[in-house]
Amino acid sequence: MSGLRIEERPDRVVVTLDRPEKRNAIDAELIRELHEVCADLEARPRLLLLTGGSDGIFAGGADIGQLRERGRVDALNAINAAAFARIRALPLPTVAAVDGPALGGGAELAYACDLRVCTARAVFGQPEVRLGILAGAGATHRLPALVGEARAKELLFTGRRVDAGEALRIGLVNRVVAEPAGLLDCAHGLLDEIAKGSALALRLTKLAVDAPAAAHPQLDLVSQAVLFEDEEKYRRMTDFLEKRRPR
């Protein structure tokens, strides 16, 4: 792939944005490659770590040169939005590791992941209104869910940037690391904790959390019924009871 570096591990895939000369700007080719990654993870579910590396840039936004030439048909085709929605819907949890700027479409790519960790020099922002467009690849609905409607509106209306400290305080990110060298260790550590869970339980939990309110409690009940009959549940609970049994 020309815009991504892919590392396969037994329980996860590490995807690194790799367009340093363009500040990891999100262009049509990179979107095509993200769709390929999603197709693989849909066919063989694993955890995903998405990062721009630790070189001081996550993604500077969409490729403005391409964006300027897009028309209404391109907008209706949801070029970036469709890829980010696909990332959001991946079967198993996803983590974005952000170092430096995550702006515009770059921020929306991070929001599409389930969890976010960042360095102290990370910044998030939605400057779209200053370019005459709106944040159309997920920020208008994912950002309010993360930080609340009023705060999201402020950020979307003003284009103000949020530094790492504020991002942690308002719930935009889960963890902040002081040094860039520790970013991937932090992200992998979080995924290691997640990987201790049952893959099926993780998958159904993600479905339940992401489902609309109207799906509850029925979805929770059906999911629990499936898990109650799962051999993995029986094995894990047996192991737990064996460890608690007096010797």
Side-chain angles (χ1 to χ4, degrees):
M1 293 187 176
S2 61
L4 300 176
R5 285 188 281 114
I6 311 294
E7 178 190 351
E8 300 266 357
R9 297 192 181 189
D11 66 345
R12 73 197 61 172
V13 175
V14 182
V15 175
T16 304
L17 307 180
D18 192 27
R19 301 186 72 215
E21 74 287 353
K22 295 289 188 178
R23 294 176 59 81
N24 289 340
I26 299 167
D27 67 353
E29 178 63 17
L30 191 142
I31 289 293
R32 184 190 66 77
E33 293 176 359
L34 286 173
H35 276 295
E36 290 184 17
V37 169
C38 288
D40 182 42
L41 289 172
E42 290 160 356
R44 295 187 299 133
R46 286 153 292 160
L47 303 170
L48 171 66
L49 171 55
L50 180 65
T51 182
S54 56
D55 298 325
I57 182 70
F58 179 74
D63 189 306
I64 301 300
Q66 287 189 5
L67 203 59
R68 184 185 61 182
E69 303 307 317
R70 290 179 185 172
R72 61 175 66 110
V73 173
D74 297 306
L76 293 172
N77 284 337
I79 296 171
N80 290 5
F84 297 172
R86 199 170 178 185
I87 290 170
R88 183 66 178 183
L90 286 172
L92 289 176
T94 59
V95 173
V98 178
D99 182 34
L103 304 174
E108 290 176 301
L109 177 57
Y111 306 156
C113 292
D114 296 304
L115 305 173
R116 283 151 296 284
V117 300
C118 73
T119 65
R121 63 184 179 182
V123 292
F124 299 84
Q126 302 297 154
E128 285 86 354
V129 294
R130 298 185 182 186
L131 293 169
I133 59 174
L134 61 78
T140 57
H141 54 278
R142 293 197 182 101
L143 195 55
L146 288 169
V147 304
E149 180 181 325
R151 184 172 283 114
K153 283 180 174 178
E154 176 202 342
L155 298 176
L156 290 165
F157 293 166
T158 66
R160 180 174 69 81
R161 295 186 179 190
V162 173
D163 64 21
E166 182 179 0
L168 182 64
R169 179 173 58 80
I170 66 177
L172 189 57
V173 301
N174 300 87
R175 298 178 185 176
V176 177
V177 297
E179 297 298 330
L183 177 63
L184 293 183
D185 286 343
C186 176
H188 280 297
L190 184 54
L191 285 171
D192 290 342
E193 288 297 311
I194 292 170
K196 293 177 182 178
S198 153
L200 183 58
L202 286 169
R203 187 167 183 173
L204 292 178
T205 298
K206 178 171 176 174
L207 278 174
V209 173
D210 287 345
H216 301 281
Q218 291 82 3
L219 176 59
D220 307 74
L221 296 173
V222 171
S223 298
Q224 194 74 298
V226 170
L227 290 167
F228 272 11
E229 297 290 329
D230 186 41
E231 292 183 4
E232 180 75 1
K233 167 253 188 177
Y234 184 83
R235 182 189 67 78
R236 285 172 175 264
M237 290 191 175
T238 300
D239 289 346
F240 176 82
L241 292 172
E242 290 291 337
K243 290 176 183 177
R244 293 284 298 273
R245 184 172 298 168
R247 299 297 180 186

